[in-house]
């Protein structure tokens, strides 16, 4: 029995539709339509090869400039904004930093939770079967799809291509927390439920690395840790300000080795217990994080991930599965998910925003933090 | 960052200059000339400290001056470091937390003194007592440069001399590579008060030199009126500047709350496109780009969009400083800051030759992408001094 009331956010305009709308992605997939495609490559780019040399050798111009993906994402997003596809202008939402030690960021966003509905699925079970009757991302309006994201021999951008056979999509979130708020849905038409495996996480890391911007972060919420929809997805947005968790003190918990550059550390003196994985090798991070998360899923421990620093830093926050929450906290309707635990709190009511304090946020986040013995179990999983 | 088989290659041994800094020699010398007398390099040369000056108003916050001591300590040549961000000093085992502290100090425009693991060009690690200090303009309160002083820390007490520590002192030849980084006693070893005072003294001397050589007035502290909340018009906080200079396209920010809506920020690419220097454009209305053959109708469209707080795209004939005309696809839009209210109007320029459909499509994508990046930057909460609240445009 979970005490925190979930208030699901509306990420797609089609979320309330009972029937399949003609304009939805699924229908378009069946009839066939064209979408832009961004291809990333795991091979080294020729531009980097030249830049790494000691002399600047003349090179042929690159097919796409560095961090083109960021420009593409922002331009498509801005286009959708000018077409009125978002439920409100997120840049008109006020934000401020709460004074104190952590520098929590509070935002007043009255438009985000307009509808209050019962939760669509059990929230005390981390792994649940995909249910095609419930809302999933094939039901989004085709306008909410920004582009396809796929791997290729060479990086490139194609304005109009037919949909790939097993496409990964980038969609808008119609109730954005920040500018550029998108959803990354790996292999959408495989209809995978919200659960993590190394390949899907690696896709998210490549996505973050390709955008190549320290202000762009990617988050993941498991079921039971305030995921909105049981269809595999990550969220991402831009915030040109440090997340409090990125500035927190950490202490290393894994042994160093000359072979691997992976550092795993635990957060010190932060309201929520968590670990952070750091490495320049994305493969390494993906494999290590996914293996831990799969253990957590099997033990029914909900968790959140926050991917920062262009993919080289991943925070993992395991959550209390069952807990009591004070009514005061319930009334603010803040769900402590990846962003909130990272330190970015969206508040629905003006009075909550105006009176928000670091103490309030610390207390809210502490509600979901694991107990010491439970967290020790998690550390044992990681370090074995 | 480069990707190879899933691994991000660290560019710490190789100095990677931002590709936008291809005229770095000119840009770097302009950065100094803008604020100080031409003799500044000679004056700074007299100090035997290891230090750099960095300019937060240029892409990637690059080094614009490096002392001989700094070059000797790190093993790089002057040409290898000018125009590049200091991160080449960091390496595999540099504590992320230390980097974050430095970043925070830069954002908050304040001093910072910290012990950090750095690497020479040859890849040898050394502990560095790093002291950062901002240099403020007396005119408009902006941070014109950051001074970074480095004092390599030696583990051998006997090796310490009374004078400055010049050149590199390798700190732990005898320690095992792995053992060093995770051994807490190594991190805490011997940072004496003397070391700290020496760092303070070095910073103070450099700041004094800069203040003496300044043509427009710089100081280690802001002017009194500024600290009391009187913010000069057109002030741009460092945290905003750092975000804006990341955007690799031509654009300007204008302030609609000031008379005649002057430019308060112009990107490097705008200056390169138009041929003007920063001083020649900041504080002026954009109309200086118009010329004899500029059609007035699109200007009227622009003016009316602005008065209604709308976005607008026009095609207009503009002129560079050398009088050369070019067709400019200009997109303007109001941009809000963290208060949720309009703070600036952004103007994004794309030089277009023919109007081919593909060109138009690409231009449009660049404009909207640039606008998005500007919105992200301006929306961020500005740390540092309290900014005056913006009025809404009526």
């Amino acid at each position: 029995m979970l005490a925190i009331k979930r208030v699901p956010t509306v990420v797609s305009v089609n979320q309330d539709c009972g029937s399949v709308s003609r304009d939805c992605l699924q229908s378009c997939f069946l009839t066939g339509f064209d979408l832009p495609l961004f291809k990333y490559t795991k091979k080294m780019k020729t531009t980097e090869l030249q830049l790494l040399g000691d002399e600047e050798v003349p090179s042929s111009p690159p097919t796409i400039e560095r961090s083109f993906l960021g420009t593409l994402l922002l331009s498509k997003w801005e286009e959708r904004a000018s077409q009125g596809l978002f439920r409100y202008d997120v840049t008109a939402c006020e934000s401020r930093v709460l004074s104190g030690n952590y520098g929590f960021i509070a935002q007043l966003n009255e438009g985000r939770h307009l509808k209050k509905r019962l939760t669509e699925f059990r929230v005390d079970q981390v792994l649940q079967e995909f249910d095609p009757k419930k809302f999933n991302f094939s039901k989004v309006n085709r306008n909410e799809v920004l582009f396809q994201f796929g791997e290729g021999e060479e990086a490139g951008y194609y304005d109009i291509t037919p949909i790939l056979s097993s496409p990964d999509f980038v969609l808008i979130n119609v109730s954005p927390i920040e500018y550029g708020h998108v959803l990354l849905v790996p292999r959408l038409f495989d209809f995978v439920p919200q659960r993590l495996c190394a390949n899907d996480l690696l896709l998210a890391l490549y996505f973050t690395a390709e955008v190549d911007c320290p202000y762009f972060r990617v988050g993941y919420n498991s079921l039971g840790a305030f995921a909105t929809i049981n269809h595999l997805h990550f969220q991402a947005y831009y915030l040109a300000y440090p997340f409090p968790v990125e500035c927190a003190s950490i202490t290393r918990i894994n042994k160093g080795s000359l072979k691997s550059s992976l550092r795993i550390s635990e957060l010190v003196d932060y309201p929520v217990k968590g670990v952070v994985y750091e490495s320049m090798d994305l493969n390494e991070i993906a494999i290590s994080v996914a293996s831990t998360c799969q253990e957590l899923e099997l033990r029914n421990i909900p968790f959140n991930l926050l991917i920062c620093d262009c993919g080289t830093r991943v925070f993992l926050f395991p959550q209390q599965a069952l807990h009591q929450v004070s009514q005061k906290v319930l009334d603010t309707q803040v769900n402590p998910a990846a962003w909130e635990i990272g330190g970015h709190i969206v508040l629905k009511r003006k009075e909550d925003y105006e009176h928000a304090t670091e103490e309030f946020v610390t207390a809210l986040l502490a509600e979901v933090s694991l107990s010491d013995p439970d967290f020790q179990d998690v550390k044992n999983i990681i370090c074995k | 960052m480069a990707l190879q088989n899933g691994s991000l290659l660290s560019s710490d041994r190789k100095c990677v200059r931002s590709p936008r800094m291809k005229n770095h020699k000119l840009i770097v010398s302009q950065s100094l000339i803008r604020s100080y007398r031409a003799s500044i390099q000679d004056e700074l040369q007299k100090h035997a400290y290891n230090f750099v000056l960095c300019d937060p108003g240029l892409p990637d916050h690059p080094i614009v001056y490096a002392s001989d001591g700094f070059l000797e300590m790190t093993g790089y040549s002057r040409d290898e470091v000018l125009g590049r961000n200091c991160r080449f000093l960091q390496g595999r085992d540099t504590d992320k937390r230390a980097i974050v502290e430095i970043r925070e100090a830069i954002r908050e425009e304040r001093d910072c003194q910290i012990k950090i693991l750095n690497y020479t060009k040859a890849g040898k690690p050394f502990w560095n007592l790093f002291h950062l200090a901002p240099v403020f303009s007396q005119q408009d309160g902006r941070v014109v440069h950051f001074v970074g002083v480095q004092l390599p820390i030696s583990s051998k007490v006997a090796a310490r001399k009374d004078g400055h520590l010049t050149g590199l002192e390798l700190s732990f030849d005898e320690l095992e590579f792995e053992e060093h980084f995770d051994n807490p006693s190594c991190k805490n070893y011997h940072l004496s008060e003397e070391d700290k005072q020496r760092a303070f003294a070095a910073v103070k001397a450099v700041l004094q030199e800069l203040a003496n050589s300044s043509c427009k007035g710089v100081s280690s502290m802001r002017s009194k009126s500024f600290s009391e909340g009187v913010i000069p018009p057109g002030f741009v906080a460092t945290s905003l500047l750092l975000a804006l200079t990341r955007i690799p396209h031509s654009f300007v920010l204008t302030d609609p709350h000031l008379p005649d809506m002057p430019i308060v920020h112009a990107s490097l690419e705008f200056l390169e496109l138009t041929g003007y220097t920063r001083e020649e454009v900041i504080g002026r209305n954009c109309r200086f780009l118009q010329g004899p053959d500029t059609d007035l109708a699109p200007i009227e469209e622009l003016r009316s969009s602005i008065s209604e707080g709308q976005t607008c795209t026009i095609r207009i004939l503009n002129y560079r400083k050398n009088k050369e005309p070019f067709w400019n696809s200009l997109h303007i839009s109001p941009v809000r800051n963290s208060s949720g209210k309009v703070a600036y109007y952004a103007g994004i320029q794309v030089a277009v030759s023919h109007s081919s459909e593909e060109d138009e499509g690409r231009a449009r994508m660049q404009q909207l992408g640039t606008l998005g990046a500007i919105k992200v930057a301006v929306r961020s909460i500005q740390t540092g001094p309290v900014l005056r609240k913006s009025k809404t445009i009526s």
Side-chain angles (χ1 to χ4, degrees):
Chain A
M1 191 254 328
L2 192 69
I4 280 195
K5 218 188 286 177
R6 285 208 53 257
V7 184
T9 49
V10 181
V11 304
S12 162
V13 292
N14 287 351
Q15 224 159 320
D16 270 341
C17 285
S19 57
V20 171
S21 106
R22 190 169 315 166
D23 263 350
C24 76
L25 182 57
Q26 173 89 66
S27 309
C28 301
F29 182 63
L30 296 171
T31 57
F33 83 119
D34 295 331
L35 270 180
L37 165 68
F38 182 91
K39 267 204 191 150
Y40 69 97
T41 177
K42 292 184 179 174
K43 291 185 349 206
M44 187 187 296
K45 298 188 207 167
T46 38
T47 41
E48 272 88 12
L49 263 175
Q50 264 101 34
L51 284 174
L52 287 177
D54 285 329
E55 293 113 35
E56 317 245 347
V57 299
S59 66
S60 57
T63 46
I64 49 168
E65 62 192 36
R66 191 191 288 242
S67 93
F68 180 82
L69 180 59
T71 304
L72 171 66
L73 194 154
L74 287 167
S75 73
K76 293 291 174 195
W77 211 90
E78 177 62 31
E79 207 172 58
R80 298 301 191 273
S82 65
Q83 290 163 358
L85 284 172
F86 296 101
R87 296 173 67 211
Y88 47 82
D89 176 4
V90 69
T91 66
C93 298
E94 228 186 293
S95 296
R96 66 187 178 94
V97 175
L98 304 179
S99 55
N101 294 323
Y102 298 109
F104 291 119
I105 306 147
Q107 184 195 103
L108 174 59
N109 190 328
E110 288 159 309
R112 191 160 153 76
H113 307 293
L114 274 193
K115 301 181 189 186
K116 274 170 72 172
R117 286 199 321 260
L118 289 175
T119 58
E120 289 207 336
F121 45 85
R122 295 176 64 174
V123 294
D124 57 351
Q125 191 75 18
V126 176
L127 292 178
Q128 296 178 35
E129 290 283 304
F130 181 83
D131 182 351
K133 292 196 298 294
K134 302 229 161 79
F135 179 80
N136 64 71
F137 295 108
S138 72
K139 301 184 184 182
V140 302
N141 190 290
R142 58 182 288 176
N143 288 326
E144 293 168 14
V145 183
L146 293 186
F147 52 88
Q148 307 174 73
F149 185 67
E151 197 203 329
E153 275 294 300
E154 289 212 344
Y157 171 68
Y158 309 88
D159 215 0
I160 296 175
T161 46
I163 299 189
L164 302 173
S165 54
S166 182
D168 309 310
F169 285 107
V170 177
L171 317 174
I172 56 171
N173 182 334
V174 304
S175 309
I177 291 179
E178 271 300 331
Y179 196 89
H181 195 164
V182 295
L183 304 162
L184 172 69
V185 186
R187 42 200 189 100
L188 192 151
F189 292 112
D190 289 356
F191 295 113
V192 178
Q194 186 76 339
R195 75 192 330 149
L196 215 55
C197 78
N199 278 337
D200 296 322
L201 179 56
L202 188 58
L203 181 80
L205 295 178
Y206 269 109
F207 182 63
T208 320
E210 274 294 330
V211 171
D212 196 26
C213 178
Y215 307 140
F216 186 74
R217 301 163 188 87
V218 175
Y220 175 89
N221 302 317
S222 78
L223 296 181
F226 308 103
T228 314
I229 291 158
N230 188 20
H231 185 183
L232 179 62
H233 67 283
F234 297 82
Q235 298 191 40
Y237 59 75
Y238 283 88
L239 182 67
Y241 194 83
F243 265 64
V245 77
E246 289 174 321
C247 307
S249 302
I250 56 177
T251 179
R252 189 166 186 166
I253 60 174
N254 75 327
K255 276 192 176 335
S257 93
L258 286 173
K259 273 188 300 183
S260 147
S261 62
L262 180 66
R263 299 176 74 107
I264 308 178
S265 313
E266 74 173 289
L267 293 171
V268 170
D269 190 32
Y270 194 72
V272 179
K273 295 188 187 63
V275 290
V276 56
Y277 296 72
E278 295 170 299
S279 172
M280 298 298 257
D281 184 336
L282 301 182
N283 263 324
E284 213 175 30
I285 298 190
I287 291 169
S288 188
V289 175
S291 129
T292 305
C293 292
Q294 281 165 350
E295 273 296 321
L296 296 179
E297 285 167 350
L298 289 174
R299 292 164 194 229
N300 209 28
I301 300 174
F303 61 89
N304 311 94
L305 295 178
L306 189 62
I307 304 172
C308 306
D309 262 329
C310 308
T312 62
R313 270 187 119 191
V314 179
F315 291 90
L316 164 63
F317 310 111
Q319 287 206 18
Q320 288 259 25
L322 299 168
H323 46 289
Q324 296 292 331
V325 176
S326 69
Q327 187 60 38
K328 204 166 136 201
V329 165
L330 280 182
D331 288 342
T332 60
Q333 293 172 20
V334 178
N335 293 330
W339 312 117
E340 289 77 9
I341 297 180
H344 189 201
I345 322 288
V346 175
L347 295 163
K348 183 198 167 184
R349 300 183 308 185
K350 204 164 160 73
E351 60 262 36
D352 295 326
Y353 176 76
E354 271 160 13
H355 300 125
T357 59
E358 179 169 278
E359 289 72 35
F360 162 73
V361 174
T362 306
L364 171 73
L365 296 184
E367 301 263 5
V368 297
S369 187
L370 285 186
S371 66
D372 285 327
D374 287 343
F375 187 62
Q376 187 56 49
D377 287 342
V378 173
K379 284 196 284 183
N380 293 340
I381 297 171
I382 292 173
C383 295
K384 72 167 185 287
Chain B
M1 295 190 184
L3 294 161
Q4 183 184 40
N5 301 327
S7 92
L8 288 163
L9 288 179
S10 145
S11 51
D12 49 326
R13 289 300 88 69
K14 318 277 185 181
C15 280
V16 181
R17 190 182 285 130
S18 161
R20 297 163 63 201
M21 294 284 285
K22 43 190 189 315
N23 289 327
H24 70 276
K25 290 202 169 100
L26 178 63
I27 294 171
V28 152
S29 68
Q30 275 178 349
S31 170
L32 292 174
I33 292 171
R34 188 178 306 142
S35 300
Y36 316 110
R37 288 194 293 265
S39 57
I40 185 64
Q41 305 233 31
D42 296 327
E43 304 295 327
L44 291 174
Q45 204 85 324
K46 294 184 197 147
H47 298 270
Y49 307 111
N50 309 338
F51 71 97
V52 292
L53 286 189
C54 301
D55 189 337
L58 291 174
D60 209 19
H61 198 177
I63 294 173
V64 295
Y65 177 83
S67 75
D68 289 334
F70 175 85
L71 300 175
E72 212 183 308
M73 175 185 80
T74 58
Y76 291 100
S77 72
R78 184 158 275 119
D79 193 56
E80 282 177 312
V81 312
L82 285 184
R84 288 171 166 146
N85 180 283
C86 284
R87 71 175 69 83
F88 62 78
L89 290 173
Q90 298 158 17
R92 196 184 106 140
D93 287 297
T94 303
D95 186 11
K96 270 260 164 47
R97 187 75 186 92
I99 299 172
V100 165
E101 271 195 53
I102 296 172
R103 247 190 238 155
E104 278 178 62
I106 292 172
R107 282 187 64 93
E108 291 169 22
E109 297 170 327
R110 57 172 170 80
D111 273 46
C112 155
Q113 194 180 76
I114 192 169
K115 198 167 63 183
I116 184 170
L117 189 71
N118 281 155
Y119 292 72
T120 66
K121 181 176 176 177
K124 282 223 165 84
F126 66 97
W127 283 102
N128 187 0
L129 176 59
F130 175 71
H131 190 121
L132 175 91
V135 181
F136 298 100
S137 153
Q138 295 291 68
Q139 267 197 323
D140 61 16
R142 289 190 200 208
V143 174
V144 292
H145 292 112
F146 278 95
V147 177
V149 166
Q150 294 86 17
L151 246 65
I153 305 166
S154 169
S155 69
K156 299 172 186 162
V157 179
R160 193 178 310 275
K161 300 183 182 83
D162 281 333
H164 315 295
L165 286 172
T166 55
L168 176 65
E169 297 205 21
L170 295 178
S171 313
F172 39 74
D173 296 325
E174 65 271 35
L175 293 173
E176 272 300 310
F177 185 75
E178 269 178 64
E179 189 197 80
H180 168 80
F181 299 111
D182 298 315
N183 185 341
S185 64
C186 295
K187 285 189 181 165
N188 293 332
Y189 71 85
H190 212 73
L191 185 60
S192 68
E193 260 316 297
E194 206 194 321
D195 288 328
K196 292 185 188 175
Q197 288 306 323
R198 197 172 285 132
F200 273 119
V203 169
K204 210 169 143 196
V206 173
L207 286 172
Q208 192 61 49
E209 192 62 73
L210 295 174
N212 291 343
S213 299
S214 163
C215 31
K216 291 195 189 144
V218 301
S219 165
S220 57
M221 288 185 301
R222 286 204 160 93
S223 69
K224 192 156 179 290
S225 55
F226 194 103
S227 321
E228 286 164 358
V230 180
I231 314 291
F235 168 76
V236 176
T238 298
S239 50
L240 176 56
L241 211 51
L242 292 172
L244 291 175
T245 53
R246 283 188 65 86
I247 305 170
H249 293 290
S250 170
F251 71 93
V252 294
L253 288 189
T254 62
D255 191 339
H257 306 104
L258 295 175
D260 207 24
M261 203 154 144
I263 295 175
V264 297
H265 177 83
S267 74
L268 190 64
E269 285 73 13
F270 174 84
L271 301 176
E272 283 170 357
L273 171 66
T274 59
Y276 290 95
T277 66
R278 180 157 286 130
E279 286 65 45
E280 289 170 331
V281 312
I282 302 283
R284 298 176 69 185
N285 178 285
C286 290
R287 71 174 69 82
F288 66 82
L289 291 173
Q290 297 163 27
D293 289 328
T294 303
D295 192 3
L296 291 177
I299 309 283
E300 194 39 48
E301 201 185 321
L302 209 63
R303 209 198 49 77
S304 95
S305 294
I306 292 173
S307 65
E308 288 163 23
Q310 298 295 326
T311 70
C312 171
T313 315
I314 58 168
R315 220 160 156 269
I316 175 179
L317 190 68
N318 277 156
Y319 293 78
R320 299 192 166 93
K321 184 175 177 182
N322 63 5
K323 309 281 191 257
E324 188 195 329
F326 67 96
W327 281 103
N328 180 5
S329 173
L330 175 68
H331 181 80
I332 62 155
S333 169
V335 178
R336 296 169 186 270
N337 65 12
S338 61
S339 71
K341 310 215 167 58
V342 175
Y344 303 109
Y345 244 89
I348 300 150
Q349 301 81 19
V350 178
V352 290
S353 43
H354 287 326
S355 175
S356 82
E357 227 184 81
E358 196 186 298
D359 268 356
E360 293 258 358
R362 272 299 163 113
R364 186 109 188 109
M365 184 185 303
Q366 289 205 340
Q367 281 167 339
L368 293 182
T370 301
L371 177 58
I374 294 171
K375 285 186 174 179
V376 169
V378 174
R379 175 156 171 72
S380 71
I381 300 159
Q382 302 314 317
T383 31
V386 172
L387 300 180
R388 64 194 158 86
K389 291 207 191 302
S390 313
K391 302 191 293 281
T392 41
I393 297 181
S394 51

